[in-house]
Amino acid sequence: MLRTILLSVLMCFVYVRAQNPTPCIAPQQFHARAAMFDHERDFVNRYLYIYDAVNKRRVLFEETDVGMPGQKFYEYMEFANDNVMYKIDIKSKECTKSTPRPWRPVEIPGNATFEGEMTLGGPGESFVVQEWSDKIPYRRNAMFYIQFSLVNCYPIKMIEVSDSNVTNSVTTNFFDLVEGIPNPNDFIVPKECQMAKLEENMQFTHK
Ligand SMILES: *[C@@H]1O[C@H](CO)[C@@H](O)[C@H](O)[C@H]1NC(C)=O
Ligand SMILES: *[C@@H]1O[C@H](CO)[C@@H](O)[C@H](O)[C@H]1NC(C)=O
């Protein structure tokens, strides 16, 4: 009897393990380029994306060579430890500030659901990624999907749904990833931000 119970416990364990591989540990700091597709605004913003989970801060510097005529370009600086976020108009240097949303690390969340493993690219130029979500099976749809490269655990793609409303979702694609923070000066807040006016509901994407 005991043997049977032990065996079935073990089988359960093996089954669960087989279902859910161990999540990889994402780098704490990286420099990347990122394209953020805001599905509600139907618009893509392209950024240099400088990420520092050690100090809970990130900078998104908009690439200004890919816009439409008259488009405004911004730099966003998020400092979760100080609960402040700045938005700087890259041309005029005008700076506004806001309270950031709760810090969302670019990593596999606790209790994540394994969504699958797949190969990106084609023959001769491929690599394997794993996809995870915060879905709770039979209870809640995912509000967060994230895909990581299998070997070094760099982010590839991330989908964030706000307000449980899939219309309010942003898909971020990461590319040209570099380890660490090549230029720490990227986190120096410009002096224009000392007098920054408050802006409500600041988001990383804009039209
Ligand atoms: C995982 O889920 C359990 C049960 O809901 C919860 O107690 C625990 O805090 C969660 N862990 C993380 C890391 O979110
Ligand atoms: C989802 O968000 C869109 C855009 O903000 C809004 O028009 C729509 O009413 C929302 N849907 C629900 C079910 O709240």
Side-chain angles (χ1 to χ4, degrees):
M1 179 64 183
L2 185 62
R3 266 183 67 131
T4 318
I5 292 173
L6 275 181
L7 195 67
S8 41
V9 167
L10 191 70
M11 296 276 287
C12 268
F13 184 69
V14 168
Y15 177 72
V16 168
R17 289 281 301 211
Q19 288 294 88
N20 246 342
T22 310
C24 65
I25 308 289
Q28 293 281 289
Q29 298 178 323
F30 63 79
H31 183 289
R33 292 171 65 212
M36 294 177 87
F37 181 15
D38 185 320
H39 298 268
E40 188 197 344
R41 293 190 177 88
D42 193 14
F43 204 77
V44 180
N45 298 113
R46 295 174 188 279
Y47 298 103
L48 294 177
Y49 193 108
I50 304 146
Y51 173 77
D52 179 4
V54 177
N55 301 295
K56 286 197 182 172
R57 57 188 188 168
R58 82 185 99 204
V59 166
L60 277 68
F61 191 90
E62 191 154 23
E63 296 187 346
T64 57
D65 55 340
V66 286
M68 309 211 288
Q71 188 185 337
K72 289 203 167 202
F73 297 99
Y74 295 100
E75 177 180 11
Y76 296 88
M77 308 185 87
E78 178 188 11
F79 299 92
N81 287 339
D82 302 327
N83 204 29
V84 67
M85 172 165 156
Y86 298 106
K87 175 179 168 188
I88 301 137
D89 183 318
I90 289 175
K91 272 200 203 113
S92 73
K93 300 289 174 202
E94 187 189 348
C95 179
T96 49
K97 70 178 174 187
S98 189
T99 305
R101 294 182 173 207
W103 173 255
R104 158 114 65 193
V106 181
E107 64 182 29
I108 299 163
N111 291 341
T113 298
F114 180 59
E115 296 285 349
E117 186 172 298
M118 50 290 261
T119 304
L120 297 189
E125 49 173 0
S126 62
F127 65 102
V128 177
V129 300
Q130 284 187 342
E131 188 168 304
W132 300 79
S133 78
D134 67 349
K135 174 164 72 194
I136 303 175
Y138 311 115
R139 275 181 48 207
R140 202 189 75 170
N141 288 335
M143 297 295 127
F144 184 61
Y145 286 93
I146 195 155
Q147 219 177 54
F148 282 91
S149 59
L150 184 64
V151 179
N152 291 325
C153 202
Y154 274 85
I156 306 298
K157 183 163 84 175
M158 178 165 87
I159 303 172
E160 297 165 277
V161 180
S162 301
D163 315 319
S164 302
N165 183 344
V166 79
T167 310
N168 302 329
S169 61
V170 174
T171 299
T172 305
N173 283 294
F174 293 98
F175 37 93
D176 295 345
L177 285 138
V178 175
E179 187 179 6
I181 295 172
N183 187 2
N185 290 344
D186 288 339
F187 287 100
I188 296 176
V189 178
K191 59 177 183 334
E192 284 81 0
C193 289
Q194 285 167 8
M195 308 288 281
K197 283 203 204 84
L198 219 54
E199 180 181 325
E200 301 285 328
N201 298 326
M202 195 181 279
Q203 288 172 18
F204 284 145
T205 54
H206 68 94
K207 205 153 182 173

